[in-house]
Amino acid sequence: MAHSVRRDAPELPDFSLLKRLARDQLIYLLEQLPGRKDLFIEADLMSPLDRIANVITLKQHDVDKLYKVEYKPIVSTSDQLCFLIRPRIKTVKWICDVVNTDKAFGRFRRYKIIFSPQKFYACENLLEEQGIFGDVTTDEWSFYLLPLDDDIISLELPEFFRDNFLEGDQRWVRTAGSALHLLHSVYGPFSKVYGIGRCSKMAYESWREQVEEGEQRARQAEIGNVFLIDRDVDLVTPLCSQVVYEGLVDDIFRIKCGCVEFGPDVTSSDKSIKVMLNSQDKVFNEIRNEHFSQVFGFLSQKARNLQTAYDKRSGMDIKQMKTFVSEELKGLKQEHRLLSLHIGASESMMKKKTKQDFQELLKTEHSLLEGFEIRECISYIEEHINRQVSMVESMRLLCLLSLTENGLLPKDYRSLKAQFLQSYGIDHLLTFSNLKQLGLLVEQQPGETLTVMESRVGKLVNDKTAGKLTDAFSSLSKKSNFRALGRRLNLVPKSDEEYDLRVPRDMAYIFSGAYIPLSCKLIEQVLERDGWTGLEEVTRMLNGHEFAVTGSNGSDARVKTDSQRIILVMFLGGCTFSEISALRFLGREKGLKFIVVTTAITNSARLLESMLDNHA
């Protein structure tokens, strides 16, 4: 069932070192405030912190009580307060209120603020404005990278997408550069760095500045090439329904920090249970990248094999039974528990997806991707909106229609927008503005049909003097050019061919053979060509900002050492589990190993929820 790994596939570096570095630095910072103290932790730092230092570790370093930051008066009686927070104005303002309240009541305490992953000038400025700059000490916990699995590392910054691509706030770019610098310091030097997107280019430049400022030390490289990609280079992929097992689990149960909570409908009891989903879970590791249609067959076979292993007990003598109990029974029981959970999760997902006419939904998505029966797709979306099925799901289909058709015809845009606002509320007007600004849901302008757009792109590509983006091409920004890209890169396989999901032939299997993710196809093409040569037309349609730089490693690219067959891909703005599965497939095919570094794990719901007008 699980795909076979090429025997010559290289070993991945050990990323547990990143956890140890983060834990040691946190302990050092806590000890800078000697004696008993209470620790206030921002909500979205609690799960990542739990993966780095548990409560016992914190208690060992004089942390008395733990509180979640709740933006209300505190009840702590400790004389020392430590705040572990993100660099957010709202949180800093709350801390200012806490300190000023204490001062008003004549209460003396010591305060320490630890910003993670870094502090911003705006936060320190607020402390000064509120008159407490001299009352608190501030520090930075450089917790840039959280390893979620052997080949997945997250910055755990879900706000990166909205802040950078919608608000134009570039404060997290240096954070991405610092994360890259940390990886380079511990696992580099890198042979080559490729990238596409404005944010990727800035993150690369920030990293190079940090490399030049620091001292250079010769070491054995553990990572070869690096590929940086902006999320807005490919917005279609995260909007597609995920159908690989891990992606589907994320869509339905929400995987948070590598952990998922399965409710009573999965556990077949009255309790919910939290489960770590990573390669240590042997059952999950074999099905995580599989198309969901193949998962039940595998789990059934696994259950039969497990029963056979249990049945071996009959007919054993005392000595054999003793060996069986000491060596095999514990492992079998653990496997049985995990197998029960994944069977329960699969059944629960199957019920939910059947109830929502999932096949009809997938058929509509595939038609949008292929460019067929668009009027029928619009009718389906209208019905979806008018029946008031999930608001985010309706928005997803609208955005997918807009991206694949390079914008909606004015009459369709106005009609669908009016129906959406009537169904889900007029307060979503600002959401439409956000979607338009990002290019997710736009109205075609007169004279900007697909054919006209493509001819303008073609003219620019053929113009030899167009070294940089011209004004004419800048006007095409925020246009997806999906159809033209699909043809150039063969993103949509021919639908008249039967696609065997049991034996996938390309990365399209992650979307039932309907679509190869643009992000992964770009990575494949650039690695094959050792750069962007021959992809000029594609990069112009993606608004440029591509680069390829030879690193300080200086190894001969023709000699494929183990480290050079390890590719680090950094997604700026989020990455889906489907894309990770596609890259794992590509790695198996090419004898490579991919490490995915992402600002956060995303999916269609998370991406669109960040666009909502009431987003905090």
Side-chain angles (χ1 to χ4, degrees), residues 92 96 121-134 136:
V92 176
C96 292
Y121 169 74
C123 296
E124 293 194 310
N125 195 44
L126 181 60
L127 293 173
E128 202 166 341
E129 281 176 8
Q130 295 287 318
I132 68 158
F133 190 76
V136 300

Side-chain angles (χ1 to χ4, degrees), residues 167-184:
E167 311 283 0
D169 182 347
Q170 294 162 6
R171 62 192 169 143
W172 297 117
V173 170
R174 185 169 174 83
T175 309
S178 300
L180 208 50
H181 182 51
L182 175 59
L183 289 164
H184 180 261

Side-chain angles (χ1 to χ4, degrees), residues 222-241:
E222 292 184 66
I223 293 172
N225 298 335
V226 174
F227 194 106
L228 308 178
I229 183 166
D230 284 15
R231 181 69 276 170
D232 70 346
V233 165
D234 174 16
L235 289 168
V236 170
T237 300
L239 291 176
C240 293
S241 292

Side-chain angles (χ1 to χ4, degrees), residues 13-124:
D14 176 15
F15 292 116
S16 62
L17 177 59
L18 296 173
K19 285 186 182 181
R20 292 201 298 275
L21 287 170
R23 184 175 64 242
D24 291 350
Q25 192 199 6
L26 179 62
I27 288 167
Y28 171 79
L29 292 172
L30 290 172
E31 287 176 347
Q32 297 300 296
L33 191 64
R36 308 295 293 171
K37 53 196 154 283
D38 285 355
L39 180 63
F40 289 81
I41 307 164
E42 195 147 10
D44 58 356
L45 273 171
M46 293 188 99
S47 293
L49 177 63
D50 199 42
R51 298 287 298 264
I52 297 296
N54 57 26
V55 174
I56 296 166
T57 307
L58 296 173
K59 297 273 187 190
Q60 285 168 348
H61 293 91
D62 291 332
V63 171
D64 193 13
K65 290 178 183 168
L66 293 164
Y67 297 94
K68 184 166 86 170
V69 169
E70 291 182 315
Y71 305 104
K72 58 186 185 184
I74 62 170
V75 292
S76 169
T77 55
S78 176
D79 288 333
Q80 299 198 111
L81 304 181
C82 189
F83 301 91
L84 181 59
I85 64 167
R86 292 285 190 211
R88 293 181 184 131
I89 294 296
K90 180 185 177 184
T91 317
V92 176
K93 179 73 176 68
W94 170 75
I95 293 170
C96 292
D97 292 342
V98 168
V99 176
N100 283 324
T101 301
D102 281 352
K103 284 163 87 173
F105 284 99
R107 169 105 199 228
F108 174 77
R109 303 198 225 219
R110 292 178 70 192
Y111 310 94
K112 182 181 184 70
I113 303 173
I114 301 173
F115 292 100
S116 177
Q118 64 196 75
K119 58 184 170 187
F120 294 133
Y121 169 74
C123 296
E124 293 194 310

Side-chain angles (χ1 to χ4, degrees), residues 134-149:
D135 300 305
V136 300
T137 55
T138 60
D139 240 314
E140 287 181 335
W141 181 31
S142 308
F143 177 32
Y144 296 113
L145 297 163
L146 174 66
L148 297 178
D149 207 343

Side-chain angles (χ1 to χ4, degrees), residues 425-481:
I426 198 74
D427 50 334
H428 286 296
L429 261 173
L430 189 54
T431 304
F432 273 83
S433 171
N434 293 342
L435 295 172
K436 183 178 180 180
Q437 191 177 327
L438 201 63
L440 278 165
L441 182 53
V442 297
E443 185 178 357
Q444 279 181 14
Q445 298 306 311
E448 285 202 342
T449 60
L450 269 176
T451 319
V452 173
M453 293 286 286
E454 285 174 35
S455 66
R456 286 169 71 185
V457 170
K459 181 178 178 295
L460 280 163
V461 170
N462 295 327
D463 181 1
K464 297 212 166 38
T465 61
K468 290 188 175 181
L469 291 178
T470 61
D471 290 340
F473 193 70
S474 300
S475 70
L476 299 183
S477 63
K478 302 299 181 193
K479 299 291 181 185
S480 76
N481 302 312

